[in-house]
């Protein structure tokens, strides 16, 4: 065959067909998407959601595939004709693709990106289709007779064929010499024909997964890709931890929110913005739980409060004890109620405990000896000696006390379910509130100390009265303090003067305001 015949045969080959269907955002910040096709006759479609857009895009591409004829044996690769990045990378960043890389039968392949933003159908050889990791073969052309089926396209192979001597076999699609090709040893290499290049090894592609999403290996900037992959690994490692670390979890969610917002800007995918918002909410929730479990809450920017009772569980136990005393106080009046609180906390688990005279004298009681005698006479309290003996007892020889209603029943269960280590913490907390230095200096009475206890267990995390700062019902406070409704406002004024309350006001039967910053550490926020 002459050189002219070879070139004429190459020109008989036709370029492979290719068309692309894309999915893009229809408007900035909205959920609508636009489906467009590279075929000029196809009209773009606008759909309300990305999911509907993907369905329409796949259906549109399938329609083209059904309408098109199968792959043609005489076609050369559509992707190589356009010098796609896959083949250019195989030959080097600044070099044209080597035509001898093609091989195998002509196929109709469909490729797509992992984010579902575009789908492409192209007519190419089997080897070029295999170069795409996402390629799916739709149809394969039958083998063609003659040398036409093994000829490269003219743009890449015409010059090499023209330089071959007459009678030499045409180029074949393989790096290794064909077993059926005649030996060419001794044939001089024409001037200007480059030596065959050894293909460079591909770089390893980094893949990752986070929030059920695949991180693309070609995502740019590379720092974003690496951050997403690392976060996915860290989240999976966190799930394997034997104990939770809410501070670490909050930090991971914060990093995820920031990374997903950048990813959304780069890719234009609205769903990533929603995922970033969910991550921000998760970070705030985890941080709040960490602060509550460790007894910390935000006071100002960069400040936290270390609470005397750390954690939601102990706060709830404190409320449980106060509620029990409100229902089981044997005598009327605020002094009997305050005495019952302190004695209950001393013997909460077994119904027995120890008491010294100083514990009673430190309370604002008018006649402590008479009050103890009345409690003993009512059967609520039992002591081995007299009330005077109790008041004279010292720490080295405390007086044992018994409260029968708190003793465990036959099933071994008492009215409270906290442990032995929690009881002294609760008792110390109540003593800290009742014995506050400024409350003692102002010589406040038992009703004022009871109100201080009631407000300490009815605040939000930042110290505002009520779970959400909406205030506390006045009737509930007067019932707890065992006073008349008109006696409550003077008690509020006393707490404000003692720097226990701030911004206090009575509106529509509710007491609003907040605890003073100095006493936030004794508060037990509501959930």
């Amino acid at each position: 065959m002459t050189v002219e015949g070879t070139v004429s045969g190459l020109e008989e080959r036709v370029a492979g067909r290719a068309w692309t269907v894309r999915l893009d955002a229809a408007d900035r910040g909205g959920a609508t998407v636009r489906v467009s096709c590279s075929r000029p006759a196809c009209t773009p479609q606008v759909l309300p959601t990305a999911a509907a857009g993907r369905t329409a895009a796949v259906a549109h591409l399938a329609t083209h595939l059904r309408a098109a004829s199968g792959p043609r044996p005489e076609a050369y690769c559509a992707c190589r004709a356009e010098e796609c990045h896959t083949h250019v990378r195989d030959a080097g960043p600044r070099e044209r693709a080597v035509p001898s890389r093609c091989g195998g039968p002509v196929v109709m392949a469909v490729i797509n990106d992992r984010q579902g933003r575009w789908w492409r159908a192209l007519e190419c050889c089997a080897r070029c289709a295999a170069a795409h990791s996402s390629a799916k073969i739709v149809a394969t052309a039958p083998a063609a007779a003659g040398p036409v089926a093994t000829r490269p396209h003219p743009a890449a192979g015409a010059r090499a064929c023209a330089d071959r001597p007459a009678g030499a076999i045409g180029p074949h699609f393989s790096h290794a010499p064909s077993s059926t090709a005649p030996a060419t040893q001794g044939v001089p290499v024409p001037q200007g024909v480059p030596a065959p290049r050894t293909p460079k090894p591909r770089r390893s592609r980094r893949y990752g997964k986070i929030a059920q999403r695949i991180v693309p290996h070609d995502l740019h900037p590379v720092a974003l890709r690496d951050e997403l992959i690392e976060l996915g690994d860290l989240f999976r490692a966190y799930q394997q931890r034997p104990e939770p670390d809410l501070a670490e979890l909050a930090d991971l969610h914060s990093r995820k929110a920031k990374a997903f917002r950048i990813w959304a800007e780069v890719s234009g995918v609205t769903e990533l913005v929603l995922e970033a918002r969910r991550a921000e909410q998760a970070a705030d929730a985890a941080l709040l739980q960490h602060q509550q479990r460790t007894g910390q809450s935000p006071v100002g920017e960069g400040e936290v409060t270390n609470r005397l009772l750390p954690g939601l569980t102990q706060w709830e136990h404190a409320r449980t004890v106060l509620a029990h005393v409100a229902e089981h106080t044997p005598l009327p009046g605020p002094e009997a109620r305050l005495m019952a609180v302190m004695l209950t906390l001393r013997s909460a688990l077994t119904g027995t405990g120890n008491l010294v005279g100083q514990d009673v004298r430190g309370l604002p009681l008018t006649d402590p000896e008479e009050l103890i005698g009345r409690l003993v006479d009512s059967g609520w309290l039992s002591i081995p000696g007299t009330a005077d003996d109790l008041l004279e007892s010292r720490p080295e020889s405390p007086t044992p006390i018994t409260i029968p209603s708190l003793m465990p029943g036959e099933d071994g269960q008492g009215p409270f379910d906290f442990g032995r280590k929690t009881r002294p913490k609760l008792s110390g907390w109540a003593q800290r509130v009742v014995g506050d230095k400024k409350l003692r200096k102002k010589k406040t009475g038992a009703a004022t100390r009871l109100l201080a206890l009631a407000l300490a267990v009815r605040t939000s995390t930042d110290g505002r009265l009520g779970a959400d700062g909406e205030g506390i019902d006045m009737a509930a406070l007067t019932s707890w303090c065992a006073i008349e409704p008109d006696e409550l406002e003077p008690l509020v004024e006393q707490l404000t003067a003692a720097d226990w309350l701030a911004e206090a006001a009575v509106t529509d039967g509710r007491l609003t305001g907040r605890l003073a910053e100095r006493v936030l550490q004794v508060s037990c926020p509501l959930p």
Side-chain angles (χ1 to χ4, degrees):
M1 181 183 293
T2 63
V3 173
E4 289 79 1
T6 303
V7 174
S8 176
L10 289 171
E11 291 175 350
E12 293 176 4
R13 304 203 71 183
V14 294
R17 295 165 294 175
W19 59 90
T20 305
V21 180
R22 291 190 57 84
L23 181 67
D24 301 291
D27 57 348
R28 196 174 191 85
T32 57
V33 295
R34 181 176 62 256
V35 177
S36 58
C37 181
S38 61
R39 292 262 180 118
C42 297
T43 305
Q45 306 176 55
V46 177
L47 294 135
T49 63
R54 291 190 182 94
T55 303
V58 172
H60 185 88
L61 186 66
T63 302
H64 278 312
L65 291 173
R66 286 193 296 267
S69 59
R72 300 162 294 179
E74 67 275 12
Y76 62 82
C77 296
C79 56
R80 187 173 296 287
E82 298 178 5
E83 297 184 349
C84 70
H85 70 280
T86 300
H87 300 90
V88 173
R89 183 174 64 245
D90 287 345
R94 296 187 180 181
E95 303 169 0
R96 294 181 63 84
V98 180
S100 59
R101 288 288 293 173
C102 290
V106 178
V107 298
M108 184 69 76
V110 175
I111 61 175
N112 66 284
D113 73 333
R114 293 181 179 274
Q115 286 71 42
R117 296 172 298 183
W118 56 262
W119 296 260
R120 191 175 188 220
L122 68 159
E123 211 172 14
C124 63
C125 71
R127 183 168 293 167
C128 288
H132 296 274
S133 59
S134 64
K136 293 183 180 179
I137 305 302
V138 178
T140 304
V148 174
T150 57
R151 294 178 186 146
H153 60 85
R159 180 178 300 176
C161 292
D163 290 336
R164 286 181 180 269
I169 189 170
H172 51 82
F173 299 126
S174 175
H175 285 297
S178 172
S179 59
T180 60
T184 57
Q185 286 82 357
V187 179
V189 179
Q191 294 292 329
V193 177
R197 298 186 181 95
T198 302
K200 294 183 179 179
R202 294 185 180 182
R203 297 179 181 177
S204 60
R205 297 177 175 180
R206 287 198 67 192
Y207 290 95
K209 192 174 184 181
I210 180 172
Q212 304 301 319
R213 296 176 183 272
I214 299 295
V215 180
H217 68 86
D218 56 351
L219 179 64
H220 286 84
V222 176
L224 172 63
R225 180 199 66 185
D226 294 343
E227 172 72 357
L228 290 169
I229 294 175
E230 180 182 356
L231 281 173
D233 295 339
L234 290 175
F235 271 109
R236 284 183 287 276
Y238 181 85
Q239 293 174 351
Q240 304 301 320
R241 290 175 58 97
E243 296 292 336
D245 186 340
L246 294 176
E248 179 184 347
L249 182 61
D251 180 63
L252 289 178
H253 279 299
S254 297
R255 289 174 58 184
K256 176 184 173 183
K258 182 178 180 181
F260 267 67
R261 287 196 177 277
I262 299 175
W263 193 4
E265 293 176 2
V266 171
S267 62
V269 179
T270 307
E271 295 177 358
L272 296 177
V273 178
L274 300 178
E275 189 70 34
R277 292 174 184 171
R278 287 192 288 268
E280 290 175 349
Q281 295 172 355
D284 293 339
L287 182 60
L288 178 60
Q289 292 179 12
H290 170 69
Q291 292 169 347
Q292 291 175 342
R293 288 190 177 187
T294 57
Q296 298 179 345
S297 66
V299 177
E301 186 175 355
E303 300 179 7
V304 295
T305 294
N306 293 319
R307 300 187 188 277
L308 192 62
L309 291 180
L312 293 169
T313 303
Q314 293 188 13
W315 301 343
E316 193 59 37
H317 287 324
R319 282 187 280 271
T320 300
V321 171
L322 298 186
H324 176 85
V325 173
E327 297 177 359
H328 298 85
T329 303
L331 301 175
E335 291 190 0
R337 176 72 56 82
L338 182 61
M339 187 70 172
V341 170
M342 306 311 293
L343 294 183
T344 296
L345 287 172
R346 286 299 181 97
S347 53
L349 296 180
T350 62
T352 59
N354 293 319
L355 201 66
V356 297
Q358 182 59 37
D359 296 331
V360 180
R361 290 196 185 96
L363 300 176
L365 304 175
T366 305
D367 189 347
E369 184 176 358
E370 188 267 343
L371 179 59
I372 292 174
R374 292 173 58 196
L375 290 174
V376 172
D377 293 340
S378 68
W380 185 82
L381 175 67
S382 175
I383 56 177
T386 64
D388 185 62
D389 294 337
L390 189 154
L391 294 175
E392 294 298 328
S393 61
R394 300 179 61 81
E396 57 270 18
S397 57
T399 299
I401 62 172
T402 302
I403 301 179
S405 61
L406 298 182
M407 299 181 70
E410 295 180 357
D411 58 356
Q413 298 295 322
F416 306 113
D417 58 357
F418 47 80
R420 294 183 178 275
K421 293 183 178 180
T422 301
R423 188 210 61 78
K425 292 181 180 179
L426 294 176
S427 181
W429 163 80
Q431 189 67 44
R432 180 76 170 270
V433 175
V434 172
D436 179 74
K437 185 176 181 180
K438 289 192 175 183
L439 293 180
R440 287 189 284 108
K441 282 188 175 182
K442 294 292 182 179
K443 297 182 179 181
T444 56
T448 307
R449 312 288 178 97
L450 286 173
L451 181 58
L453 279 171
L455 299 182
V457 296
R458 291 177 171 86
T459 71
S460 61
T461 54
D462 57 356
R464 293 177 297 156
L465 299 184
D468 298 315
E470 77 281 4
I472 307 173
D473 183 63
M474 298 280 285
L477 293 177
T478 55
S479 175
W480 162 249
C481 296
I483 58 174
E484 298 297 327
D486 57 352
E487 299 180 66
L488 185 61
E489 288 195 27
L491 302 184
V492 172
E493 293 176 359
Q494 292 180 26
L495 289 180
T496 302
D499 193 24
W500 186 277
L501 267 180
E503 304 173 7
V506 177
T507 307
D508 298 330
R510 301 186 72 83
L511 175 63
T512 60
R514 60 178 178 82
L515 294 185
E517 185 175 334
R518 75 175 186 87
V519 296
L520 278 179
Q521 58 186 345
V522 298
S523 63
C524 300
L526 292 163

